[in-house]
Amino acid sequence: MMRKTKKRAERPKNLFPERDFRGRAGPAREVDMRSNKIFVTGATGFIGRALVQRLLKEGWEVVGLARDPAKTWKQKGLHWVFGDIRDASWHPAVQGCRVLIHAAGVHGYLRIPWKERVSIELTGTKNVITAAVRYKVSYIIYINTAYAGLGTEYGRIKQLPLQWIQARMRLRLPATVIQPMTVYGPGDLGNTLRVFQAVARGRFAFIGNGETPVWFLYIDDLVDGLLRVLNHQKQCVGKTLTFGPKTAASWVEIARLIARVEGVPAPRWHLPKAMMEIAGAVGTLLSRFGMPVPFTSDTVTMLTAHMNMDTKEADRLLGKVATTDLAKGIAQTIAWYQEHKLV
């Protein structure tokens, strides 16, 4: 009579055939763990540019991915490769990099069709991680947003790559996700610039009572937090960390601070939320046809949504990240805008 033998449990399938993250050899050359070479996507954007300049200052050798050569600059230790995050032409430039920071993505709501946004965010992120895996990058930092999952097109789009990469992190992908709140500061040419300009020109209006909480994170604080993550990789790997202040300000408080520094009257107009939701829906529809509009449903939601932000895990691992006083940060931002004749 034959004895029954216990069937050995099958090991989980490795979804990353180019590399087993416990260190087994793959087809690409192993990265020298002493390397100070780092690859940054979105290197010419608001966050990317500030991050690259800080990394260079800290002694890193940076390879930046850019689409437009006109937006690049020359600096010692900085090398450029050109391409779209969705193609593979730039992948070989990742060879030899110890760390990859994925900072590219969709920022803003206007004139970008839904399918294109999804392609950039999800397909682009998958492509970036494929390059990192193929060339044995030891550590990945992905910059997403604290507003992923918010009931906006922007939030839903950001949720797609977030869920995808978090699933891979559970399968040994050596990554950390950073979710910053509303980032502002010198160099920002996006949505927060429009707020500063609207206040300066007397065109800013509150939706509802204006007491909605706003979580502003100064650009230098975000970059400093990212450097801390680099220096605490073992503690941060596998985690999703939210960066931002512990307490929020209201739109009324922020608008008054901006007006005070710009030397203009503080905004006083309050528009009914229901009316603005209808107008926002019309703006959203028009924007999907590529038409420029002043605001969309996303804008209304962002200006009125009450969200609870939790930075406890990031603060526990890294210390307080948001250290810049809001009034000081706004003053420094306006000084840069005025220097460049933007307000």
Side-chain angles (χ1 to χ4, degrees):
M1 186 174 177
M2 296 181 65
R3 293 179 60 187
K4 291 183 178 181
T5 57
K6 284 187 177 181
K7 186 178 180 180
R8 295 181 64 182
E10 292 184 3
R11 294 175 58 192
K13 183 180 179 182
N14 182 12
L15 300 185
F16 306 97
E18 294 293 344
R19 179 186 181 192
D20 185 315
F21 290 110
R22 291 166 298 179
R24 296 182 180 179
R29 190 175 71 237
E30 292 287 346
V31 174
D32 184 352
M33 293 304 293
R34 298 167 298 178
S35 169
N36 70 335
K37 197 172 181 183
I38 190 166
F39 193 95
V40 180
T41 71
T44 60
F46 169 45
I47 293 173
R49 179 180 288 265
L51 175 62
V52 166
Q53 292 175 341
R54 177 68 182 276
L55 288 169
L56 293 169
K57 186 177 179 180
E58 295 291 330
W60 287 85
E61 181 181 356
V62 179
V63 180
L65 175 63
R67 287 187 303 167
D68 186 357
K71 294 182 178 180
T72 61
W73 68 97
K74 293 183 179 180
Q75 197 167 345
K76 185 178 179 181
L78 175 59
H79 314 279
W80 291 103
V81 59
F82 300 100
D84 190 289
I85 59 169
R86 294 166 290 184
D87 67 50
S89 62
W90 51 269
H91 283 195
V94 178
Q95 179 78 60
C97 292
R98 179 160 60 91
V99 179
L100 183 148
I101 300 181
H102 180 29
V106 176
H107 303 285
Y109 312 107
L110 308 181
R111 305 169 74 174
I112 305 176
W114 171 266
K115 289 184 179 179
E116 180 71 4
R117 297 183 191 183
V118 173
S119 176
I120 294 169
E121 289 289 352
L122 185 56
T123 306
T125 296
K126 289 180 178 180
N127 188 48
V128 169
I129 300 306
T130 296
V133 171
R134 172 68 179 84
Y135 289 101
K136 297 185 175 292
V137 168
S138 300
Y139 187 51
I140 300 161
I141 298 176
Y142 170 44
I143 303 174
N144 191 263
T145 175
Y147 303 102
L150 182 66
T152 62
E153 286 192 359
Y154 177 73
R156 290 192 293 272
I157 288 170
K158 287 293 187 179
Q159 188 78 353
L160 297 175
L162 174 64
Q163 292 176 334
W164 184 86
I165 201 168
Q166 285 176 330
R168 272 75 195 161
M169 287 161 62
R170 291 191 288 269
L171 295 168
R172 304 190 301 272
L173 180 71
T176 299
V177 175
I178 303 301
Q179 294 186 296
M181 299 179 195
T182 302
V183 185
Y184 76 106
D188 180 18
L189 302 177
N191 291 319
T192 53
L193 168 61
R194 296 172 62 200
V195 172
F196 282 74
Q197 290 175 330
V199 173
R201 297 165 185 171
R203 298 176 182 174
F204 186 87
F206 304 107
I207 299 177
N209 61 16
E211 296 298 330
T212 305
V214 190
W215 311 82
F216 267 28
L217 175 64
Y218 193 61
I219 182 64
D220 290 356
D221 292 344
L222 170 59
V223 171
D224 184 63
L226 292 169
L227 267 291
R228 293 188 208 177
V229 172
L230 281 175
N231 293 327
H232 296 82
Q233 294 178 25
K234 289 183 179 180
Q235 295 94 324
C236 296
V237 69
K239 297 186 181 299
T240 298
L241 303 175
T242 301
F243 283 5
K246 290 184 177 180
T247 57
S250 70
W251 276 114
V252 169
E253 292 172 310
I254 288 176
R256 286 174 179 171
L257 283 172
I258 294 172
R260 186 185 308 158
V261 177
E262 291 178 337
V264 299
R268 294 183 179 180
W269 296 347
H270 291 260
L271 302 175
K273 182 180 177 181
M275 180 186 77
M276 295 305 296
E277 286 175 340
I278 295 172
V282 174
T284 298
L285 180 62
L286 295 176
S287 70
R288 287 176 178 171
F289 290 97
M291 298 177 64
V293 294
F295 58 87
T296 65
S297 294
D298 275 17
T299 314
V300 177
T301 301
M302 288 295 294
L303 290 173
T304 59
H306 289 260
M307 297 184 64
N308 293 318
M309 299 290 189
D310 186 359
T311 64
K312 290 179 182 177
E313 182 75 349
D315 292 342
R316 181 182 67 82
L317 292 172
L318 307 169
K320 185 179 179 181
V321 173
T323 58
T324 301
D325 176 74
L326 181 60
K328 180 181 178 182
I330 285 176
Q332 291 176 338
T333 303
I334 290 174
W336 189 87
Y337 285 154
Q338 290 175 337
E339 178 185 349
H340 292 82
K341 298 182 178 8
L342 294 171
V343 294

